[in-house]
Amino acid sequence: MTARPALLQQRLPDTPTHVARIATDADAIDAAHRLAAEFAPGAAERDRERRLPWDELTRWSASGLGGITVPRSHGGAQVAYATLAEVFVILNAADSSLGQIPQNHFGVLGVLHELGTPEQKSRFYAEVLAGRRLGNAGPERKADGAATVLQGATRLRTTPQGQLVLTGKRFYSTGALFAHRIPVRATDDAGRSVQVWVPREAPGLAVVDDWDAFGQRTTASGTVVFDEVPVDAADVLPLWQLADRPGLYGPTSQLMQAAIDQGIAEAAVADAQRFVRERARPWVDSGVQHAHDDPYLIADVGRLQIDLHAAREVLRETGALFDALAARAAAAGGFTAEDSARASVAVAEAKVLTTRIALEASEKLFELAGSSATRAAHHLDRHWRNARVHTLHDPVRWKLHLIGNHLLNGALPRRHSWN
């Protein structure tokens, strides 16, 4: 066994002294707008200097947004799926690195909702409402032997003394560095997939800030190491049950991913319009005094706005569909396989459109604004870098396949976080 990492050398997350209690969907949207107004002015500087958003995340926790999906029966707002998506659009339009960080917080709360015991729900929901954040120890790297993101060597085993211990190494762990708990997928002694909710201060746990991608630079989506971490059986959820249980866990994860891309696109379109109006010069042959009077620029901005609006409306329709399916499932006693399939197909359509507009808008920005927009002082390249890195989470070509296969052949999408 290797020497355990020295936890005293690692910064642990702060818990806010006061956490607002959000009660309604309107409260959640208002809180998101307030935070977006605070976060947007520093977004470029944080990206340029790779300054991790510790203080900003403490303010995020204090706002109460971390508890908006907690059921009302446990004191939360239980906001609509459409509202959750809107919150992500708002925050990611302000700063798409900072705005991405909570995705795993809400993702694992979805697992808790589906699989948690009453005791687990009561305990973990209370932690979240008190301002504690949830991260995620992501997939394992291919270099470590994982052929796909669903495979890995992380193990939860029982020692001869009857103690549960966790061993493994994960990557793409967005939010883990800033989290109070780090849920992780592992394989138990029976060969089943489980999710272990590890406290951040657990002995043998180390979060390594080695994320070095050219985009999403402040998400700290690096390595998490579990070295014989002792585990309480009460912190283990039976993840294997999700594969056989229709629900909205996977589609909800995708809804947030699509909303992140939509936020990137909205920021890029807004910056393109601002730069053309305020800084760009007209082309010498245009015959106009201002770049914003160039008929070709005008047409291009119109095209971008149409695509942006189309993606936003499909995203909203998808959230509304999720809400309708959830209401029906609550009345009927559960989701059907077709419910899950409809949700996966709908969110795949949204993801295709938000991916395309995020990439298109963040690249087109420079064509519209001109060479001066490429100067480092403006730092407008962060939109494209963030869009390019984030949209690689799950390839659009497989979204198109999922949609077409369902329409032509009635195929039901597999149930996991990427569908």
Side-chain angles (χ1 to χ4, degrees):
M1 184 178 71
T2 58
R4 285 180 172 171
L7 291 180
L8 292 179
Q9 297 177 0
Q10 297 191 333
R11 176 172 178 175
L12 298 178
D14 295 327
T15 303
T17 56
H18 174 74
V19 178
R21 186 59 62 92
I22 290 176
T24 67
D25 291 59
D27 290 342
I29 298 298
D30 288 345
H33 279 299
R34 287 195 299 272
L35 285 181
E38 293 179 25
F39 295 163
E45 180 182 347
R46 283 190 296 273
D47 182 86
R48 181 185 297 110
E49 299 177 357
R50 198 178 178 271
R51 180 173 64 79
L52 299 181
W54 289 96
D55 294 339
E56 289 80 4
L57 285 170
T58 299
R59 296 206 297 276
W60 179 86
S61 294
S63 75
L65 281 175
I68 59 175
T69 61
V70 172
R72 296 187 188 94
S73 58
H74 288 270
Q78 194 176 339
V79 300
Y81 289 97
T83 299
L84 179 64
E86 183 69 10
V87 165
F88 268 85
V89 172
I90 293 166
L91 292 177
N92 281 277
D95 182 341
S96 53
S97 285
L98 174 54
Q100 182 193 345
I101 290 171
Q103 69 178 29
N104 289 325
H105 174 95
F106 292 110
V108 296
L109 281 176
V111 176
L112 178 66
H113 177 73
E114 295 282 344
L115 300 176
T117 65
E119 185 279 333
Q120 287 172 327
K121 290 180 179 180
S122 179
R123 180 160 52 93
F124 292 142
Y125 284 147
E127 290 183 12
V128 167
L129 291 173
R132 293 173 69 83
R133 294 185 295 277
L134 306 172
N136 181 48
E140 297 179 14
R141 296 190 192 217
K142 183 179 181 182
D144 294 326
T148 74
V149 294
L150 291 176
Q151 297 172 331
T154 305
R155 296 291 180 265
L156 179 67
R157 61 183 179 83
T158 305
T159 68
Q161 295 74 34
Q163 170 67 53
L164 289 175
V165 293
L166 180 68
T167 303
K169 183 180 179 182
R170 316 291 288 195
F171 195 63
Y172 304 111
S173 303
T174 301
L177 186 68
F178 314 106
H180 298 85
R181 279 189 185 270
I182 303 177
V184 59
R185 174 191 292 265
T187 303
D188 68 8
D189 290 334
R192 302 171 303 187
S193 181
V194 296
Q195 188 177 77
V196 187
W197 286 44
V198 184
R200 179 69 172 79
E201 67 277 7
L205 167 64
V207 183
V208 184
D209 182 21
D210 57 353
W211 179 246
D212 61 356
F214 62 70
Q216 300 298 82
R217 299 183 65 225
T218 62
T219 60
S221 303
T223 299
V224 179
V225 179
F226 303 94
D227 185 5
E228 299 288 305
V229 175
V231 171
D232 188 332
D235 292 345
V236 181
L237 276 66
L239 199 60
W240 78 88
Q241 294 180 4
L242 279 181
D244 299 322
R245 181 180 302 180
L248 297 182
Y249 159 66
T252 301
S253 177
Q254 286 297 294
L255 184 72
M256 290 183 285
Q257 302 286 6
I260 291 167
D261 297 334
Q262 181 70 23
I264 296 173
E266 298 205 355
V269 170
D271 275 346
Q273 293 178 10
R274 176 182 57 80
F275 209 95
V276 167
R277 284 194 299 265
E278 298 176 4
R279 292 179 176 271
R281 292 186 295 184
W283 183 240
V284 293
D285 295 328
S286 66
V288 297
Q289 294 296 312
H290 305 284
H292 55 76
D293 292 325
D294 182 326
Y296 295 107
L297 291 185
I298 290 172
D300 279 345
V301 168
R303 178 74 257 174
L304 278 181
Q305 185 60 37
I306 291 171
D307 292 344
L308 184 73
H309 182 67
R312 185 68 175 265
E313 288 307 307
V314 173
L315 184 66
R316 285 173 172 160
E317 288 177 2
T318 301
L321 172 65
F322 285 18
D323 289 318
L325 291 174
R328 192 172 71 182
F335 292 93
T336 66
E338 185 57 35
D339 290 337
S340 290
R342 286 185 64 195
S344 290
V345 170
V347 79
E349 293 175 355
K351 189 67 168 60
V352 169
L353 293 180
T354 59
T355 293
R356 287 178 173 172
I357 186 57
L359 292 171
E360 177 190 8
S362 58
E363 195 279 331
K364 192 75 171 178
L365 185 162
F366 297 102
E367 181 183 335
L368 298 176
S371 58
S372 64
T374 66
R375 293 180 58 202
H378 304 304
H379 212 60
L380 294 175
D381 60 302
R382 74 184 188 278
H383 298 312
W384 181 85
R385 289 186 288 104
N386 289 348
R388 183 64 282 175
V389 169
H390 184 260
T391 55
L392 295 175
H393 276 70
D394 41 296
V396 164
R397 62 185 180 274
W398 279 99
K399 301 300 181 191
L400 297 171
H401 177 271
L402 182 155
I403 297 165
N405 204 23
H406 182 70
L407 291 173
L408 288 175
N409 303 314
L412 302 184
R414 292 179 61 196
R415 297 189 194 118
H416 52 62
S417 298
W418 293 271
N419 282 346

